[in-house]
Short mmCIF file of all heavy atoms in Angstrom, two decimals:
data_model
loop_
_atom_site.label_atom_id
_atom_site.label_comp_id
_atom_site.label_asym_id
_atom_site.label_seq_id
_atom_site.Cartn_x
_atom_site.Cartn_y
_atom_site.Cartn_z
N PHE Y 152 83.17 108.07 88.19
CA PHE Y 152 84.60 108.42 88.00
C PHE Y 152 84.71 109.62 87.04
O PHE Y 152 84.54 109.49 85.80
CB PHE Y 152 85.31 107.16 87.41
CG PHE Y 152 86.74 107.41 87.07
CD1 PHE Y 152 87.61 108.09 87.95
CD2 PHE Y 152 87.27 106.87 85.89
CE1 PHE Y 152 88.96 108.25 87.64
CE2 PHE Y 152 88.63 107.02 85.56
CZ PHE Y 152 89.46 107.69 86.42
N GLY Y 153 84.96 110.79 87.61
CA GLY Y 153 84.94 112.03 86.79
C GLY Y 153 86.35 112.50 86.50
O GLY Y 153 87.33 112.14 87.16
N THR Y 154 86.48 113.38 85.51
CA THR Y 154 87.73 113.91 85.15
C THR Y 154 88.29 114.78 86.26
O THR Y 154 89.53 114.72 86.55
CB THR Y 154 87.60 114.79 83.83
OG1 THR Y 154 87.07 114.00 82.82
CG2 THR Y 154 88.95 115.33 83.44
N SER Y 155 87.48 115.56 86.92
CA SER Y 155 87.93 116.46 88.01
C SER Y 155 87.47 115.96 89.34
O SER Y 155 88.17 116.14 90.35
CB SER Y 155 87.47 117.87 87.74
OG SER Y 155 86.08 117.96 87.87
N THR Y 156 86.28 115.38 89.45
CA THR Y 156 85.72 114.93 90.73
C THR Y 156 85.04 113.58 90.63
O THR Y 156 84.37 113.32 89.60
CB THR Y 156 84.67 116.01 91.21
OG1 THR Y 156 85.23 117.32 91.20
CG2 THR Y 156 84.15 115.63 92.57
N THR Y 157 85.20 112.79 91.64
CA THR Y 157 84.59 111.48 91.71
C THR Y 157 83.67 111.42 92.90
O THR Y 157 83.96 111.94 93.98
CB THR Y 157 85.67 110.38 91.81
OG1 THR Y 157 86.45 110.37 90.65
CG2 THR Y 157 85.10 109.01 92.04
N VAL Y 158 82.50 110.78 92.70
CA VAL Y 158 81.50 110.62 93.78
C VAL Y 158 81.16 109.16 93.83
O VAL Y 158 81.00 108.48 92.82
CB VAL Y 158 80.26 111.45 93.48
CG1 VAL Y 158 79.21 111.24 94.57
CG2 VAL Y 158 80.62 112.94 93.41
N VAL Y 159 81.03 108.66 95.08
CA VAL Y 159 80.69 107.27 95.32
C VAL Y 159 79.40 107.14 96.10
O VAL Y 159 79.17 107.80 97.04
CB VAL Y 159 81.85 106.56 96.15
CG1 VAL Y 159 81.52 105.10 96.33
CG2 VAL Y 159 83.20 106.72 95.46
N SER Y 160 78.53 106.25 95.64
CA SER Y 160 77.27 105.96 96.35
C SER Y 160 77.14 104.49 96.58
O SER Y 160 77.92 103.73 95.98
CB SER Y 160 76.06 106.47 95.53
OG SER Y 160 76.02 105.80 94.25
N TYR Y 161 76.20 104.11 97.45
CA TYR Y 161 76.05 102.66 97.77
C TYR Y 161 74.57 102.35 97.89
O TYR Y 161 73.75 103.23 98.25
CB TYR Y 161 76.81 102.25 99.00
CG TYR Y 161 76.27 102.82 100.25
CD1 TYR Y 161 75.38 102.12 101.12
CD2 TYR Y 161 76.66 104.14 100.67
CE1 TYR Y 161 74.91 102.61 102.28
CE2 TYR Y 161 76.17 104.63 101.88
CZ TYR Y 161 75.30 103.93 102.70
OH TYR Y 161 74.82 104.45 103.83
N SER Y 162 74.19 101.09 97.61
CA SER Y 162 72.83 100.65 97.77
C SER Y 162 72.88 99.29 98.44
O SER Y 162 73.85 98.51 98.32
CB SER Y 162 72.14 100.50 96.41
OG SER Y 162 71.96 101.75 95.75
N TYR Y 163 71.79 99.01 99.20
CA TYR Y 163 71.61 97.69 99.76
C TYR Y 163 70.14 97.43 99.97
O TYR Y 163 69.31 98.37 99.95
CB TYR Y 163 72.34 97.58 101.12
CG TYR Y 163 71.80 98.45 102.20
CD1 TYR Y 163 70.84 98.01 103.13
CD2 TYR Y 163 72.24 99.76 102.35
CE1 TYR Y 163 70.35 98.81 104.10
CE2 TYR Y 163 71.76 100.61 103.31
CZ TYR Y 163 70.79 100.14 104.20
OH TYR Y 163 70.29 101.00 105.17
N PHE Y 164 69.79 96.21 100.15
CA PHE Y 164 68.37 95.81 100.35
C PHE Y 164 68.06 95.82 101.80
O PHE Y 164 68.70 95.10 102.61
CB PHE Y 164 68.07 94.47 99.73
CG PHE Y 164 66.63 94.07 99.68
CD1 PHE Y 164 65.84 94.54 98.65
CD2 PHE Y 164 66.03 93.30 100.66
CE1 PHE Y 164 64.48 94.26 98.59
CE2 PHE Y 164 64.65 92.98 100.64
CZ PHE Y 164 63.90 93.47 99.53
N ASP Y 165 67.10 96.66 102.21
CA ASP Y 165 66.62 96.74 103.64
C ASP Y 165 65.60 95.63 103.88
O ASP Y 165 64.50 95.73 103.30
CB ASP Y 165 66.01 98.10 103.91
CG ASP Y 165 65.72 98.32 105.39
OD1 ASP Y 165 65.10 97.44 105.98
OD2 ASP Y 165 66.11 99.38 105.91
N ASN Y 166 66.00 94.60 104.59
CA ASN Y 166 65.15 93.47 104.81
C ASN Y 166 63.84 93.85 105.55
O ASN Y 166 62.77 93.26 105.29
CB ASN Y 166 65.86 92.39 105.64
CG ASN Y 166 66.96 91.69 104.78
OD1 ASN Y 166 66.70 91.33 103.68
ND2 ASN Y 166 68.15 91.61 105.40
N GLU Y 167 63.88 94.79 106.48
CA GLU Y 167 62.72 95.10 107.29
C GLU Y 167 61.73 95.91 106.38
O GLU Y 167 60.48 95.66 106.43
CB GLU Y 167 63.13 95.90 108.49
CG GLU Y 167 63.93 95.10 109.52
CD GLU Y 167 64.24 95.92 110.76
OE1 GLU Y 167 63.79 97.09 110.85
OE2 GLU Y 167 64.98 95.41 111.61
N LYS Y 168 62.20 96.94 105.71
CA LYS Y 168 61.36 97.79 104.92
C LYS Y 168 61.04 97.25 103.53
O LYS Y 168 60.15 97.71 102.82
CB LYS Y 168 61.93 99.18 104.85
CG LYS Y 168 62.07 99.89 106.21
CD LYS Y 168 62.71 101.28 105.93
CE LYS Y 168 62.82 102.00 107.27
NZ LYS Y 168 63.43 103.34 107.11
N ARG Y 169 61.85 96.21 103.17
CA ARG Y 169 61.65 95.62 101.82
C ARG Y 169 61.86 96.59 100.66
O ARG Y 169 61.14 96.63 99.68
CB ARG Y 169 60.27 94.89 101.69
CG ARG Y 169 59.98 93.98 102.81
CD ARG Y 169 60.87 92.76 102.91
NE ARG Y 169 60.79 91.94 101.71
CZ ARG Y 169 61.55 90.87 101.48
NH1 ARG Y 169 62.54 90.57 102.34
NH2 ARG Y 169 61.45 90.14 100.39
N ILE Y 170 62.88 97.48 100.85
CA ILE Y 170 63.15 98.46 99.83
C ILE Y 170 64.69 98.50 99.62
O ILE Y 170 65.49 98.03 100.44
CB ILE Y 170 62.67 99.86 100.21
CG1 ILE Y 170 63.31 100.31 101.56
CG2 ILE Y 170 61.19 99.90 100.33
CD1 ILE Y 170 63.08 101.76 101.85
N VAL Y 171 65.06 99.04 98.47
CA VAL Y 171 66.49 99.30 98.18
C VAL Y 171 66.86 100.72 98.69
O VAL Y 171 66.24 101.69 98.28
CB VAL Y 171 66.81 99.18 96.68
CG1 VAL Y 171 68.27 99.58 96.38
CG2 VAL Y 171 66.54 97.72 96.19
N VAL Y 172 67.83 100.78 99.61
CA VAL Y 172 68.26 102.02 100.15
C VAL Y 172 69.52 102.51 99.40
O VAL Y 172 70.42 101.71 99.13
CB VAL Y 172 68.60 101.89 101.64
CG1 VAL Y 172 69.12 103.22 102.23
CG2 VAL Y 172 67.44 101.39 102.41
N THR Y 173 69.54 103.80 99.04
CA THR Y 173 70.69 104.33 98.34
C THR Y 173 71.18 105.61 99.01
O THR Y 173 70.39 106.47 99.28
CB THR Y 173 70.35 104.68 96.83
OG1 THR Y 173 69.86 103.49 96.18
CG2 THR Y 173 71.51 105.20 96.09
N GLU Y 174 72.48 105.71 99.25
CA GLU Y 174 73.08 106.81 99.92
C GLU Y 174 74.42 107.19 99.25
O GLU Y 174 74.98 106.32 98.59
CB GLU Y 174 73.31 106.58 101.40
CG GLU Y 174 72.03 106.23 102.21
CD GLU Y 174 71.17 107.49 102.45
OE1 GLU Y 174 71.66 108.60 102.18
OE2 GLU Y 174 70.04 107.26 102.91
N VAL Y 175 74.89 108.42 99.46
CA VAL Y 175 76.17 108.87 98.96
C VAL Y 175 77.15 108.66 100.13
O VAL Y 175 76.90 108.89 101.27
CB VAL Y 175 76.16 110.35 98.56
CG1 VAL Y 175 77.57 110.81 98.13
CG2 VAL Y 175 75.17 110.54 97.43
N MET Y 176 78.39 108.22 99.78
CA MET Y 176 79.41 107.99 100.78
C MET Y 176 80.17 109.27 101.04
O MET Y 176 80.55 109.98 100.15
CB MET Y 176 80.38 106.93 100.28
CG MET Y 176 79.93 105.49 100.31
SD MET Y 176 81.23 104.33 99.96
CE MET Y 176 80.35 102.75 100.10
N ASN Y 177 80.47 109.51 102.32
CA ASN Y 177 81.37 110.57 102.70
C ASN Y 177 82.74 109.93 102.98
O ASN Y 177 82.89 109.19 103.96
CB ASN Y 177 80.85 111.27 103.96
CG ASN Y 177 79.77 112.23 103.70
OD1 ASN Y 177 79.90 113.30 103.15
ND2 ASN Y 177 78.56 111.82 104.03
N LEU Y 178 83.68 110.09 102.09
CA LEU Y 178 84.92 109.46 102.17
C LEU Y 178 85.99 110.35 102.78
O LEU Y 178 86.09 111.54 102.59
CB LEU Y 178 85.39 109.01 100.76
CG LEU Y 178 84.46 107.98 100.09
CD1 LEU Y 178 85.03 107.57 98.75
CD2 LEU Y 178 84.22 106.75 101.00
N ARG Y 179 86.90 109.71 103.53
CA ARG Y 179 88.00 110.40 104.22
C ARG Y 179 89.12 110.70 103.28
O ARG Y 179 89.55 109.81 102.51
CB ARG Y 179 88.50 109.50 105.39
CG ARG Y 179 89.54 110.15 106.27
CD ARG Y 179 89.98 109.16 107.28
NE ARG Y 179 90.41 107.85 106.72
CZ ARG Y 179 90.59 106.78 107.34
NH1 ARG Y 179 90.38 106.70 108.65
NH2 ARG Y 179 91.00 105.66 106.69
N GLN Y 180 89.65 111.92 103.36
CA GLN Y 180 90.74 112.35 102.51
C GLN Y 180 91.73 113.15 103.35
O GLN Y 180 91.31 113.77 104.34
CB GLN Y 180 90.27 113.18 101.33
CG GLN Y 180 89.20 112.50 100.49
CD GLN Y 180 88.28 113.46 99.75
OE1 GLN Y 180 88.78 114.26 98.97
NE2 GLN Y 180 87.02 113.41 100.02
N LYS Y 181 93.00 113.09 103.08
CA LYS Y 181 93.99 113.83 103.79
C LYS Y 181 94.25 115.19 103.14
O LYS Y 181 94.37 115.31 101.96
CB LYS Y 181 95.34 113.06 103.81
CG LYS Y 181 95.37 111.85 104.78
CD LYS Y 181 95.35 112.30 106.22
CE LYS Y 181 95.54 111.13 107.14
NZ LYS Y 181 95.47 111.52 108.57
N GLN Y 182 94.35 116.23 103.95
CA GLN Y 182 94.75 117.52 103.53
C GLN Y 182 96.30 117.57 103.45
O GLN Y 182 96.98 116.70 103.94
CB GLN Y 182 94.31 118.62 104.50
CG GLN Y 182 92.79 118.70 104.68
CD GLN Y 182 92.15 119.57 103.55
OE1 GLN Y 182 92.72 119.71 102.47
NE2 GLN Y 182 91.04 120.16 103.84
N SER Y 183 96.82 118.62 102.78
CA SER Y 183 98.24 118.71 102.59
C SER Y 183 99.00 118.87 103.93
O SER Y 183 100.17 118.54 104.03
CB SER Y 183 98.60 119.87 101.70
OG SER Y 183 98.04 121.08 102.15
N ASP Y 184 98.30 119.40 104.96
CA ASP Y 184 98.94 119.57 106.28
C ASP Y 184 98.75 118.34 107.17
O ASP Y 184 99.13 118.33 108.32
CB ASP Y 184 98.39 120.78 106.96
CG ASP Y 184 96.86 120.72 107.24
OD1 ASP Y 184 96.27 119.68 106.89
OD2 ASP Y 184 96.34 121.71 107.80
N GLY Y 185 98.18 117.25 106.62
CA GLY Y 185 97.99 116.03 107.36
C GLY Y 185 96.65 115.91 108.06
O GLY Y 185 96.31 114.84 108.54
N ALA Y 186 95.86 116.99 108.07
CA ALA Y 186 94.53 116.96 108.72
C ALA Y 186 93.60 116.10 107.89
O ALA Y 186 93.66 116.03 106.67
CB ALA Y 186 94.03 118.37 108.87
N ASP Y 187 92.61 115.48 108.57
CA ASP Y 187 91.60 114.69 107.93
C ASP Y 187 90.51 115.58 107.34
O ASP Y 187 90.13 116.58 107.97
CB ASP Y 187 90.97 113.69 108.85
CG ASP Y 187 91.88 112.43 109.07
OD1 ASP Y 187 92.72 112.16 108.26
OD2 ASP Y 187 91.73 111.84 110.14
N PHE Y 188 89.99 115.19 106.19
CA PHE Y 188 88.88 115.89 105.58
C PHE Y 188 87.90 114.83 105.09
O PHE Y 188 88.30 113.79 104.49
CB PHE Y 188 89.32 116.75 104.40
CG PHE Y 188 88.24 117.32 103.55
CD1 PHE Y 188 87.59 118.49 103.93
CD2 PHE Y 188 87.73 116.65 102.44
CE1 PHE Y 188 86.54 119.03 103.17
CE2 PHE Y 188 86.68 117.15 101.68
CZ PHE Y 188 86.07 118.33 102.06
N THR Y 189 86.58 114.99 105.32
CA THR Y 189 85.60 114.02 104.89
C THR Y 189 84.55 114.73 104.03
O THR Y 189 84.05 115.78 104.43
CB THR Y 189 84.90 113.41 106.11
OG1 THR Y 189 85.90 112.72 106.92
CG2 THR Y 189 83.93 112.33 105.67
N GLY Y 190 84.27 114.18 102.86
CA GLY Y 190 83.31 114.79 102.00
C GLY Y 190 82.77 113.79 100.93
O GLY Y 190 83.34 112.76 100.72
N GLU Y 191 81.66 114.23 100.33
CA GLU Y 191 81.07 113.42 99.29
C GLU Y 191 81.86 113.42 97.99
O GLU Y 191 81.93 112.47 97.24
CB GLU Y 191 79.60 113.88 98.99
CG GLU Y 191 78.65 113.72 100.15
CD GLU Y 191 77.30 114.26 99.84
OE1 GLU Y 191 77.10 114.82 98.72
OE2 GLU Y 191 76.35 114.11 100.69
N LYS Y 192 82.47 114.60 97.73
CA LYS Y 192 83.24 114.73 96.48
C LYS Y 192 84.68 114.44 96.76
O LYS Y 192 85.32 114.96 97.65
CB LYS Y 192 83.05 116.18 95.99
CG LYS Y 192 81.62 116.53 95.57
CD LYS Y 192 81.56 117.97 95.10
CE LYS Y 192 80.08 118.31 94.76
NZ LYS Y 192 79.98 119.73 94.29
N VAL Y 193 85.23 113.60 95.86
CA VAL Y 193 86.66 113.25 95.93
C VAL Y 193 87.32 113.80 94.68
O VAL Y 193 87.12 113.25 93.58
CB VAL Y 193 86.89 111.74 96.03
CG1 VAL Y 193 88.38 111.40 96.14
CG2 VAL Y 193 86.14 111.16 97.22
#
């Protein structure tokens, strides 16, 4: 949770590989003209 930008990541346990997987989320955001925008930085 940043002052200017927020980034979200997630982790889960991969049962097959027996490891913890971590990735950054690409979240959907609306532009001022109504168009969709997807990015890691919010």
